[in-house]
Amino acid sequence: MRTRVGYSGGQKENPTYRSLGDHSETLQIDFDPTLISYKRLLDIFWHEHDPTQRAWSRQYKSAIFYHDETQQKLALETKALEERRRGKSIQTEILPFGKFFLAEDYHQKYQLRQRRQLMTEFKAFYSRNIDFVNSTAAARVNGYVGGYGTPEEIKASIKNLGLSTAGQKRLLEIADNWKN
């Protein structure tokens, strides 16, 4: 439903990129479990990075912040499965969620922000940056321009993203370039 980047896992109040304290950079995902399961999100998480690599700093550590016992149990189970599958020790930490602090605006929807034509359209929709950051459409387009999603998924959702005809055409061009 929504993704936002920020900082979590530490004690410092109101961390920033330049003054992170003991937090780590994190991605917050709000999801509808009727559309995608927590298990599926974990599968994507394990597949999209190498969790066997030790982070060179706390800022960049691999972690899953769980919200309840069910999430904790599933995160631990999938971590154990991943360790067996890879035959290596997994460095990802499984931690209780505490507090999430939004990262600075320029970090939000980073891939989308690099696409001037599409950003012009989103700026016209959202007069307040927080509305842009919280937008499901912006999260989807950010993922699509970042190379995630199939052409079929993009075509199926493109009419619901609020883009003009020119914006839709540009998004499809970007997606075609990722395939090549």
Side-chain angles (χ1 to χ4, degrees), residues 59-170:
Q59 179 177 0
Y60 300 113
K61 76 176 176 184
S62 176
I64 296 170
F65 295 97
Y66 61 86
H67 289 262
D68 57 36
E69 287 182 27
T70 302
Q71 286 186 354
Q72 178 189 24
K73 182 180 181 221
L74 197 51
L76 289 168
E77 286 172 3
T78 60
K79 179 180 178 180
L81 285 170
E82 206 52 35
E83 253 178 358
R84 284 193 299 276
R85 187 179 77 76
R86 292 176 185 254
K88 294 181 179 179
S89 178
I90 298 293
Q91 302 301 311
T92 301
E93 295 180 45
I94 311 295
L95 303 166
F97 175 76
K99 195 169 183 182
F100 177 82
F101 298 90
L102 275 179
E104 296 79 359
D105 291 346
Y106 65 92
H107 290 293
Q108 304 296 334
K109 313 296 183 273
Y110 182 79
Q111 295 295 328
L112 176 54
R113 286 182 187 273
Q114 309 311 304
R115 307 299 180 153
R116 187 171 297 157
Q117 179 184 353
L118 297 175
M119 271 306 294
T120 299
E121 294 199 25
F122 278 100
K123 284 180 181 177
F125 306 154
Y126 302 111
S127 58
R128 296 180 331 142
N129 189 64
I130 192 65
D131 296 330
F132 167 71
V133 170
N134 291 334
S135 164
T136 299
R140 287 192 181 177
V141 173
N142 185 62
Y144 293 153
V145 300
Y148 298 94
T150 65
E152 295 75 27
E153 289 169 330
I154 295 170
K155 288 175 185 169
S157 70
I158 202 161
K159 297 277 188 220
N160 299 320
L161 300 174
L163 296 171
S164 68
T165 303
Q168 291 176 21
K169 181 179 177 193
R170 181 67 188 126

